[in-house]
Amino acid sequence: MNIVSIFIQTLVGGIGIGSLYALVALGYSMIYRSMGLVNFAHGSIYMIGTYFGIIWYRGMVMGLQVPYPIAFVMGILLTAILGLILERIFRPLAHLDLMLMLLGTIGLGYVLDNLAVIIWGAEGFAVNSPLPNEPIVIGGVALLPQMLLLITVSALLMVGLNVFLAKSKMGKAMRAAAQDRETASAMGIPVNTTNALVFAIGAGLAAAAGILAAPIVYVNPAMSAAVGLKGFAAFILGGAGSIPGAIVGGLVFGVLEAISAGFISSAYTKGIAFVVMIVVLMIKPAGIVGEVTVDKV
Amino acid sequence: MKNTASTIKWILLGVGGLVLLAYPLVAPNRYTVHIVNMAGIWILMSLGLNLAMGYCGQINLALGAFWGVGAYTAALLSTRFGVPIWINMPLGMLLAGITGALIALPMLKVRSHYLALVTIGLAETINIIMVNEIWLTEGPLGISGIPMPNLFGIPIDGAERFYYIVLVCVVVGFLVARQIVSHRIGRSFIAIRDDDTAAKAMGVNVAYYQVLANAICGVYCGVAGVLYAHMSTYISPDIFEFKNALFVLTMTMVGGMGSLAGSVVGGLALPLAQEWLRAIKSWQLVGFGLAIMIVVLFMPGGVVGLTQKIEQAGGIRLPWARKPAAEPSRMEEPNVS
């Protein structure tokens, strides 16, 4: 195995984990854009979403074991419904000072995390991959099928989201509501409904990411913190409120992490990624793609 | 009227002082004293955070790092070189203060939620150093066998005796914080919090005071760290993780951002509430989260803000009344194109 194939393998692994971060970051970004809410409970929504899918796949609900694709869809739908409910709770928070918003959403995250512990236990479990576990070897590069599935489905979801926002009537309404709340509602767009749908989509995307990554990572209630933080970092790194920014931020963060783990020091993976992120923010305070709004606070 | 109010104030102070001094003698058991000692440590950190965030408006989620620097300084010096607490204390304060000043540097460049992330990132990085630099910190196993202090030949060998050290630190910390707030430094902090551009126009050296606010926050957390190391005799990196920084943030906000009394109220209330809720195990943290939500939604000024509302509604002046704090700065409504 030469250095090039090791590099490609690291890169693909980074893109895989990066897609996971990107999908989570998209939720942060869409909710911020439409509601002005920095949702620190999004990591918990991701964790709950993972459980919502995996419980069907593992037959944890009345022994009812369903195939992975169906569990995937069911998980997304259930989490989207949860998103609709949570939006109603979060709505008053969106108009508060940043620190209160931060604390309020963290409080709700606490509630979700610990409900998960009460319902499913704190231990967690490994999930069998629905695809064969042997890596596919192409030219000396060994790739896990589940990783490829994660990358492919994430890419499809991201393209789908962009098409939906650009072309569909609902997507246009969402963008209009995000752009100018008052004018949009004067034009007859039900802003609260579009916000609720944006929240549901964000939650659904996080669930999709979690269910896709579940066979690679270990499923437990504590997983909300790490991915929540990295998704948040990706959201900021790309440029808060920007949809392409969230995707770029997620991928950059994933690849940075993989490269630093593979080539520098696995102990300092998280640290190196954070340091690079801080340096990027010092040079470009509005993120790589740039924030959609100019923050004047 | 004014005389009665000040008489009540002095009586309250006197009774409060006596209760504080007598507490370990009348406490039901050693564990309850330990909880109160721990509350004192939280109060110190909350005071520091309040000065930086409540007064100067600097979002800072890196408290765990400052606390850790203080604690590791004390732990390493005492276990490796047998340095006593009264030398560790100023050194821990100094190093944590320097860490605070260093962490403030990115603040001169980035703002609001970006800043929240940068401070989290820096704190995480320092935590990773604690886990990985095993030659220095013993890694995830932590440092054990930190000696309890020995002051003037009296061994401070139990929670009851340690209580008085914590008490002195909290009282001194509170009085110093009050001096800072009423001093020119405090007024500059408030000016920066309310409008940093206007403050700059008025000739306030904004960058200097931002760094100073965080350095002071670091010093307070440093004191808390040194106390913690010598009190618990054991430290490990997981104590200084982000979740405990959040706990301090929560208690500061529950007590009241921009109010020193709020830090004391929050710093006492939350750890005690946590102990009471321990009986209901897993539901404890669910209740904790719900409590945070309720505070945020229904009393955003914290407990102290609530007493202020009572005063306004009843047209009375409570003996512990404080000067009103200005409204916290709001985040701009996002306007997306």
Side-chain angles (χ1 to χ4, degrees):
Chain A
M1 220 164 148
N2 59 7
I3 188 81
V4 178
S5 54
I6 294 176
F7 184 75
I8 292 172
Q9 192 164 332
T10 311
L11 200 67
V12 175
I15 291 172
I17 294 299
S19 323
L20 164 73
Y21 296 157
L23 286 177
V24 175
L26 274 174
Y28 276 106
S29 212
M30 290 179 70
I31 294 164
Y32 174 70
R33 197 176 131 104
S34 64
M35 295 171 71
L37 179 81
V38 183
N39 177 15
F40 281 84
H42 199 62
S44 306
I45 295 175
Y46 151 83
M47 179 270 298
I48 297 268
T50 310
Y51 271 100
F52 273 179
I54 294 305
I55 49 171
W56 303 104
Y57 178 56
R58 282 184 93 235
M60 288 164 73
V61 190
M62 300 174 291
L64 201 70
Q65 202 158 0
V66 304
Y68 186 77
I70 298 175
F72 179 69
V73 174
M74 282 170 83
I76 293 177
L77 290 179
L78 281 174
T79 318
I81 293 168
L82 176 74
L84 288 178
I85 300 166
L86 289 179
E87 189 273 338
R88 200 63 203 81
I89 304 172
F90 278 116
R91 202 176 287 169
L93 285 175
H95 308 290
L96 296 175
D97 167 57
L98 177 67
M99 275 340 283
L100 289 171
M101 192 192 278
L102 194 148
L103 196 65
T105 53
I106 285 170
L108 218 127
Y110 255 81
V111 174
L112 292 176
D113 283 2
N114 291 290
L115 283 177
V117 171
I118 291 166
I119 299 169
W120 297 300
E123 297 82 28
F125 44 76
V127 177
N128 290 329
S129 173
L131 297 171
N133 241 338
E134 289 84 56
I136 304 166
V137 182
I138 310 162
V141 182
L143 302 168
L144 263 185
Q146 184 70 31
M147 189 67 96
L148 296 177
L149 182 73
L150 169 62
I151 296 173
T152 319
V153 178
S154 308
L156 287 175
L157 286 173
M158 289 172 203
V159 171
L161 177 72
N162 276 310
V163 172
F164 170 76
L165 287 176
K167 300 275 186 250
S168 77
K169 203 174 165 196
M170 198 63 223
K172 284 176 185 165
M174 281 176 186
R175 285 193 298 144
Q179 195 164 25
D180 187 337
R181 213 186 146 84
E182 275 73 37
T183 315
S185 68
M187 304 289 268
I189 293 171
V191 174
N192 281 335
T193 314
T194 57
N195 281 351
L197 280 174
V198 164
F199 209 110
I201 293 174
L205 288 174
I211 303 165
L212 284 169
I216 304 172
V217 300
Y218 185 75
V219 177
N220 65 320
M223 69 196 225
S224 58
V227 173
L229 192 58
K230 285 168 193 168
F232 178 66
F235 149 74
I236 297 286
L237 188 62
S242 153
I243 302 241
I247 297 170
V248 172
L251 292 177
V252 168
F253 210 79
V255 169
L256 265 178
E257 226 180 44
I259 290 179
S260 57
F263 293 93
I264 306 169
S265 147
S266 62
Y268 278 96
T269 310
K270 208 162 71 168
I272 289 165
F274 270 118
V275 168
V276 171
M277 181 196 76
I278 290 164
V279 170
V280 169
L281 279 183
M282 300 289 276
I283 300 165
K284 271 192 76 122
I288 299 174
V289 174
E291 188 175 358
V292 199
T293 80
V294 180
D295 188 39
K296 297 193 214 70
V297 182
Chain B
M1 183 65 191
K2 200 187 168 204
N3 271 333
T4 352
S6 86
T7 317
I8 296 173
K9 199 171 183 173
W10 281 111
I11 291 172
L12 278 175
L13 272 177
V15 173
L18 278 179
V19 170
L20 281 176
L21 282 175
Y23 176 70
L25 308 173
V26 296
N29 56 44
R30 179 166 278 193
Y31 183 67
T32 51
V33 182
H34 173 77
I35 297 300
V36 173
N37 287 354
M38 206 51 225
I41 288 171
W42 294 121
I43 289 173
L44 282 167
M45 283 197 272
S46 178
L47 283 172
L49 182 67
N50 219 331
L51 286 172
M53 214 163 97
Y55 285 91
C56 196
Q58 304 293 296
I59 293 179
N60 190 336
L61 299 174
L63 294 170
F66 311 154
W67 188 28
V69 167
Y72 271 96
T73 307
L76 289 170
L77 288 176
S78 62
T79 54
R80 297 206 177 165
F81 308 106
V83 181
I85 188 171
W86 55 270
I87 295 178
N88 290 339
M89 184 62 84
L91 283 174
M93 286 162 72
L94 180 70
L95 285 176
I98 292 171
T99 316
L102 287 177
I103 278 185
L105 295 180
M107 297 190 167
L108 308 177
K109 189 96 184 174
V110 291
R111 283 148 183 276
S112 80
H113 39 290
Y114 295 93
L115 189 52
L117 178 69
V118 167
T119 58
I120 295 173
L122 286 168
E124 289 278 305
T125 311
I126 290 180
N127 205 268
I128 295 163
I129 295 173
M130 289 175 193
V131 175
N132 289 303
E133 293 306 313
I134 295 169
W135 61 275
L136 181 70
T137 64
E138 313 279 336
L141 287 177
I143 300 173
S144 54
I146 304 161
M148 290 204 85
N150 192 323
L151 284 184
F152 316 112
I154 309 162
I156 312 295
D157 52 1
E160 290 89 347
R161 288 186 178 175
F162 206 89
Y163 170 86
Y164 291 101
I165 297 187
V166 176
L167 183 65
V168 168
C169 289
V170 171
V171 170
V172 171
F174 184 82
L175 293 177
V176 170
R178 236 177 52 158
Q179 280 304 310
I180 293 172
V181 168
S182 57
H183 187 260
R184 198 162 59 93
I185 300 174
R187 290 200 300 278
S188 305
F189 283 178
I190 294 170
I192 292 168
R193 177 193 67 191
D194 291 345
D195 188 341
D196 59 345
T197 317
K200 200 175 267 173
M202 296 291 286
V204 176
N205 187 343
V206 174
Y208 168 76
Y209 283 107
Q210 282 176 330
V211 173
L212 183 67
N214 286 290
I216 292 173
C217 177
V219 169
Y220 272 89
C221 295
V223 175
V226 173
L227 285 176
Y228 182 81
H230 281 289
M231 186 178 83
S232 61
T233 70
Y234 167 74
I235 58 167
S236 65
D238 57 320
I239 301 160
F240 310 107
E241 275 176 5
F242 182 56
K243 61 175 191 289
N244 279 329
L246 271 184
F247 191 57
V248 178
L249 173 67
T250 310
M251 67 184 63
T252 312
M253 299 212 55
V254 168
M257 209 35 109
S259 151
L260 295 177
S263 279
V264 178
V265 173
L268 270 176
L270 255 72
L272 293 183
Q274 209 183 25
E275 285 308 310
W276 290 326
L277 288 169
R278 210 174 277 277
I280 49 173
K281 293 191 177 100
S282 302
W283 288 97
Q284 177 199 356
L285 289 167
V286 176
F288 192 64
L290 286 175
I292 294 175
M293 298 262 339
I294 290 167
V295 168
V296 167
L297 288 175
F298 301 109
M299 35 189 267
V303 176
V304 173
L306 205 66
T307 62
Q308 223 184 355
K309 269 189 196 157
I310 295 171
E311 283 176 19
Q312 279 166 2
I316 46 166
R317 194 175 143 79
L318 297 173
W320 55 85
R322 64 172 182 144
K323 291 183 205 84
E327 283 280 300
S329 63
R330 285 178 158 269
M331 208 169 75
E332 290 281 305
E333 280 279 313
N335 181 15
V336 186
S337 54

